[in-house]
Amino acid sequence: MKRKWWHDKVAYQIYPKSFLDSNGDGIGDLRGIISKLDYLKSLGIDIVWLSPIYKSPFVDQGYDISDYYAIAEEFGTMEEFEELLAESKKRDMHIIMDLVINHCSDQHEWFQKALADPYGEYADFFYFRKGKNGNPPSNYRSYFGGSCWEPVPGTDLYYLHMFAKEQPDLNWENPKLLEQLYQMINWWLGKGLAGFRIDAIINIKKDLAFPDYEPDGPDGLAACWKMVESVDGVGDLLETLKKNTFQKYDAFTVAEVFNMKEDELPSFIGKDGHFSTMFDFSAHALSIGGNGWYDAPDIDFKKWRESIVNSQLKVQKCGFEANIIENHDEPRGVSRYLPNYAQNPAGTKMLGTVSVLLRGIPFIYQGQEIGMQNTKWNSVEEFNDINTKDQYQLALDAGLSEEEALYACTKMSRDNARTPMQWSDLENAGFTTKTPWLKVNDNYPKINVKNQENDPDSVLNYYRKLIGVRKSAEYKEVFTYGEFVPAYLDTESIMAYYRETDEQRILVAANFGENTAELNLDYDIRHVILSNMNQSTKPQRSLKLKSCEVIVLECEK
Ligand code: GLC
Ligand code: CA
C-alpha cells in the first residue's frame, strides 16, 4: 500500500458555533479556536476539521452557504482564519474545512439570480422543473421532511432541495457550475488548507427523469435517498472533481457517504479512490428507525460489535475509513452506545479505546475527550436544530404524545452534540460570558476540561495517553497499518481485536458487560500497554476483565 501523509494522523472535529466564544456574543468563534490550539496539540491532534464557517443564514447551522468565499461574521474574519492556518502550521497541525457542494443557501447569489430569471443561465445552476398534473415533479420527501420540491414564485416551476427548502440542490450536470466549484475549492487549497470533509456528497448525482417511488409514509411521499440509491454514475462526477481539485494539492479528503452501493467501496477509498477516506457509519446505522427517531431501536451490543467488525474486515482490503463514535449530527456516543451501568468514566474510556485503536483514522468530536453526554431537554422549545423540530412533528403525526415525542428527540437529537463545549465549572461552562446560543448541559460542573486537567485519572488525561500510544514510535506502525483481526466473538459482552504486523501483535479487549468476565489468552503476553483501571501486571494464560474494563496488551509474536 502506498503510504500517505495522513495515514497515521489523529483528527478532531470542531463545531465552531459551540467550541469557545471569545467576545461574549454567545457564539463560538475563530479567536476561540485559535486560543485552544495548544489544548488540541496536547491531546495529540494532527488534523482539525471545522464544521462550516462560511457566510450563511444558519438555517441548517452553516450547511447552507450563501458565500463560499467569505467567513461568517459570527465567527470572525478572513484575517483571523489565515491566522488560524498560520498558528496551526507552527504546531504542525492541519486544518480541513467542510465542503458543502451538493447544495447552497437560497440566499446565495446564484439562487437569487435564478429566482430573478427562472429560465435564465443561473436557473440551470439548480434543478428547476415543471410540475406534473398540478403536483411537484416527483414524490420525494426531503431529509428534513416535506416535499423535495418547492414552487418557484411566479412560475409553474419547482426547484429541488433534498434538505431544507433554504438549501437548493446544485446542478452537477452543468459544466459552468462545476467550473465555479472547482475554482472555489482550489482557492481554499491554495490558501494552505490541508483538505476537506465533504458533505452529503453522494447526493450530487440525480436521476434526471426524477421517477416516483412507492410511497413509504403517511404523507404519501417516498424518501429521496431511494433515488440516490438507484441512480448510477456518481463515480464519474467524483473522479472529475478530484482530478480538477484535491489531487493537484495532495489534499486530504474525508467524505460523508450514505447509501453507497457496496461494490463501490474500492473506487471511493481504494488506491486512487475518489477520496482519501470516508466515515464509517455502520454502527450509527443500527439506530436508524423505520419511520423516524420515534421508532429508532436502542443499540444492541452484539449487533454493534458485529457491525464494526464487519466493516473493519471489509475496508482493510482496500483502504482506510475514518472512525467516529459521534459527530455534530449524532447523539453523544457515551449516551448511545454504553448501557446505563457503563455511562461513567471507566465506560467512557473503554468506548474511546476500542474506537481509537481500530484500523483507520480516528476522528474525535469536540467534548468526546472529556466524556460529554446527551443533555436533558425539558421541552421542544429548547432545541434549535431543524432536523429535530421535524422529527418531533413526525412523532406527533404518528400519534405519539408530546412527552413521547420529546423523549425520542432527547435520545436522538443532533443538538445533543451541539451544546457548548464544557471548559470549566464557571457559569455557562466557561464557553461564554453571556447567554449561549444553545443551552449548556447541566452536568458541566462535573464534566469539564478544567477539572479533568487536574486529575491524572480523568477521561481527558486517559485520551491523551490513548492517542499517545497510538502515535508512539513503538506502536505507530501496528496501529496504523496493522491488520485488524477480531477476537472473542463468541462471548456475550467482550469487544476485542488484535492489531498485527509481521513483527507485532496487540490485543485490545474490553468488557461491556455488567459482570466480570474471564478470557483464555491465545498468546503469551509481553506487557500491558494501556489499562483504564491502572492494571500493570501482565496476565498469564487467562485475562479477567471487570465490568467496563479495557486493556491493551502486547502479545508474543
Ligand atoms: C450533512 C451534515 C448535516 C447537514 C446536511 C445538509 O449530513 O453533516 O449537518 O444538515 O449534510 O448539509
Ligand atoms: Ca463569539
Side-chain angles (χ1 to χ4, degrees):
M1 177 173 298
K2 203 162 125 212
R3 301 204 161 192
K4 293 295 222 166
W5 67 266
W6 46 267
H7 278 162
D8 58 4
K9 301 291 183 262
V10 175
Y12 187 94
Q13 180 188 356
I14 289 185
Y15 196 69
K17 201 165 178 182
S18 305
F19 192 61
L20 181 60
D21 173 22
S22 72
N23 62 350
D25 63 357
I27 295 176
D29 44 52
L30 289 173
R31 187 77 30 234
I33 297 173
I34 294 171
S35 74
K36 290 296 178 187
L37 285 176
D38 286 330
Y39 167 76
L40 297 178
K41 187 72 190 171
S42 81
L43 188 58
I45 301 305
D46 309 292
I47 298 177
V48 177
W49 153 28
L50 303 178
S51 274
I53 54 170
Y54 312 85
K55 190 171 159 75
S56 163
F58 287 90
V59 169
D60 184 22
Q61 297 303 353
Y63 284 89
D64 45 325
I65 297 172
S66 54
D67 185 348
Y68 287 99
Y69 290 92
I71 303 288
E73 268 171 44
E74 292 86 338
F75 294 151
T77 63
M78 191 60 80
E79 288 66 42
E80 282 170 317
F81 177 73
E82 279 158 7
E83 189 181 327
L84 172 64
L85 282 181
E87 288 301 317
S88 310
K89 198 159 178 208
K90 275 189 205 157
R91 293 166 177 80
D92 201 18
M93 291 161 81
H94 310 266
I95 301 286
I96 66 172
M97 282 168 84
D98 230 295
L99 184 62
V100 190
I101 46 178
N102 171 67
H103 46 267
C104 60
S105 160
D106 63 347
Q107 300 306 307
H108 194 286
E109 185 189 357
W110 297 333
F111 193 70
Q112 289 299 314
K113 286 185 176 163
L115 287 184
D117 184 4
Y119 296 94
E121 183 186 346
Y122 284 93
D124 200 33
F125 273 42
F126 301 90
Y127 297 100
F128 279 35
R129 290 288 186 281
K130 279 216 162 75
K132 267 191 326 213
N133 319 319
N135 291 317
S138 72
N139 67 347
Y140 307 157
R141 179 188 314 108
S142 90
Y143 291 109
F144 295 156
S147 170
C148 276
W149 296 98
E150 190 69 15
V152 176
T155 69
D156 59 351
L157 298 170
Y158 294 78
Y159 68 89
L160 180 74
H161 62 90
M162 298 186 80
F163 294 88
K165 67 177 189 318
E166 296 86 353
Q167 294 167 295
D169 279 51
L170 290 163
N171 176 7
W172 276 69
E173 310 293 331
N174 181 347
K176 280 193 188 148
L177 164 79
L178 296 188
E179 208 35 62
Q180 300 259 347
L181 292 179
Y182 300 160
Q183 237 177 58
M184 176 275 289
I185 293 167
N186 290 333
W187 185 80
W188 284 104
L189 291 172
K191 268 189 180 297
L193 204 68
F196 292 99
R197 175 269 186 184
I198 309 178
D199 186 73
I201 194 67
I202 198 87
N203 295 291
I204 59 175
K205 182 70 193 176
K206 314 293 198 256
D207 182 339
L208 297 178
F210 296 112
D212 281 339
Y213 292 94
E214 191 63 36
D216 55 21
D219 55 6
L221 301 175
C224 63
W225 51 258
K226 300 209 163 137
M227 185 258 284
V228 176
E229 280 193 346
S230 52
V231 69
D232 288 322
V234 72
D236 297 337
L237 296 178
L238 297 176
E239 203 48 28
T240 322
L241 167 65
K242 179 187 85 183
K243 293 214 166 99
N244 281 288
T245 58
F246 318 133
Q247 187 170 286
K248 300 187 188 175
Y249 295 83
D250 196 18
F252 169 73
T253 53
V254 50
E256 183 201 35
V257 177
F258 291 98
N259 313 96
M260 185 193 69
K261 298 175 184 68
E262 280 256 331
D263 60 352
E264 283 178 334
L265 189 69
S267 61
F268 275 55
I269 58 166
K271 188 173 171 289
D272 303 320
H274 311 313
F275 308 111
S276 308
T277 181
M278 59 191 235
F279 292 109
D280 181 4
F281 289 121
S282 50
H284 302 77
L286 297 174
S287 50
I288 295 177
N291 298 296
W293 291 352
Y294 68 84
D295 63 355
D298 284 337
I299 296 287
D300 169 83
F301 170 76
K302 285 190 183 167
K303 284 192 190 148
W304 172 77
R305 177 175 65 187
E306 190 189 356
S307 73
I308 294 181
V309 165
N310 287 346
S311 120
Q312 288 274 302
L313 293 175
K314 199 167 58 194
V315 172
Q316 69 182 352
K317 291 191 198 131
C318 68
F320 288 86
E321 276 193 335
N323 299 310
I324 58 166
I325 63 168
E326 64 209 39
N327 67 22
H328 67 294
D329 291 331
E330 305 288 342
R332 291 285 179 177
V334 170
S335 306
R336 180 184 202 169
Y337 297 113
L338 292 174
N340 284 337
Y341 58 79
Q343 294 185 12
N344 53 41
T348 303
K349 294 172 190 170
M350 171 178 73
L351 182 64
T353 310
V354 297
S355 169
V356 167
L357 298 183
L358 288 172
R359 191 176 173 286
I361 320 299
F363 270 72
I364 316 274
Y365 179 70
Q366 70 181 40
Q368 178 187 328
E369 75 277 21
I370 55 169
M372 279 179 65
Q373 303 177 348
N374 283 355
T375 297
K376 189 174 176 324
W377 304 92
N378 301 308
S379 82
V380 66
E381 279 77 46
E382 287 184 340
F383 293 111
N384 176 293
D385 172 34
I386 182 171
N387 195 12
T388 305
K389 291 180 177 165
D390 172 56
Q391 288 288 338
Y392 182 80
Q393 193 53 46
L394 195 74
L396 293 183
D397 293 348
L400 276 76
S401 70
E402 287 183 4
E403 232 182 346
E404 291 164 335
L406 183 64
Y407 178 71
C409 292
T410 291
K411 266 179 33 187
M412 295 304 292
S413 176
R414 309 199 293 179
D415 279 343
N416 282 308
R418 300 174 180 186
T419 60
M421 176 72 183
Q422 294 162 210
W423 292 107
S424 72
D425 57 5
L426 296 176
E427 212 184 339
N428 296 317
F431 162 73
T432 180
T433 50
K434 296 273 167 47
T435 313
W437 72 277
L438 186 67
K439 80 176 215 175
V440 176
N441 191 320
D442 294 337
N443 67 15
Y444 76 88
K446 231 178 65 204
I447 299 182
N448 66 65
V449 174
K450 179 123 181 295
N451 281 354
Q452 296 197 15
E453 286 285 6
N454 301 326
D455 172 5
D457 261 345
S458 65
V459 172
L460 174 61
N461 281 316
Y462 182 83
Y463 259 92
R464 287 188 172 128
K465 272 187 243 161
L466 171 63
I467 294 172
V469 163
R470 195 187 154 106
K471 293 174 63 173
S472 66
E474 255 176 298
Y475 299 113
K476 188 179 201 141
E477 180 70 19
V478 67
F479 284 122
T480 307
Y481 295 105
E483 189 186 346
F484 168 91
V485 181
Y488 303 104
L489 287 178
D490 55 346
T491 58
E492 286 300 306
S493 68
I494 304 295
M495 169 64 169
Y497 54 84
Y498 296 101
R499 297 297 312 277
E500 292 187 25
T501 58
D502 289 344
E503 290 78 35
Q504 284 175 304
R505 174 184 288 124
I506 313 292
L507 173 65
V508 179
N511 181 8
F512 280 69
E514 200 165 6
N515 304 311
T516 299
E518 195 162 352
L519 306 172
N520 289 323
L521 288 168
D522 291 331
Y523 303 98
D524 286 341
I525 302 303
R526 284 189 192 155
H527 65 268
V528 179
I529 302 173
L530 185 68
S531 152
N532 69 337
M533 299 202 174
N534 298 319
Q535 191 59 253
S536 55
T537 351
K538 68 175 183 184
Q540 319 258 358
R541 277 184 294 278
S542 92
L543 171 64
K544 257 201 183 133
L545 289 174
K546 295 196 190 102
S547 171
C548 297
E549 181 167 6
V550 65
I551 197 157
V552 183
L553 300 167
E554 172 145 27
C555 309
E556 286 300 335
K557 174 89 201 195

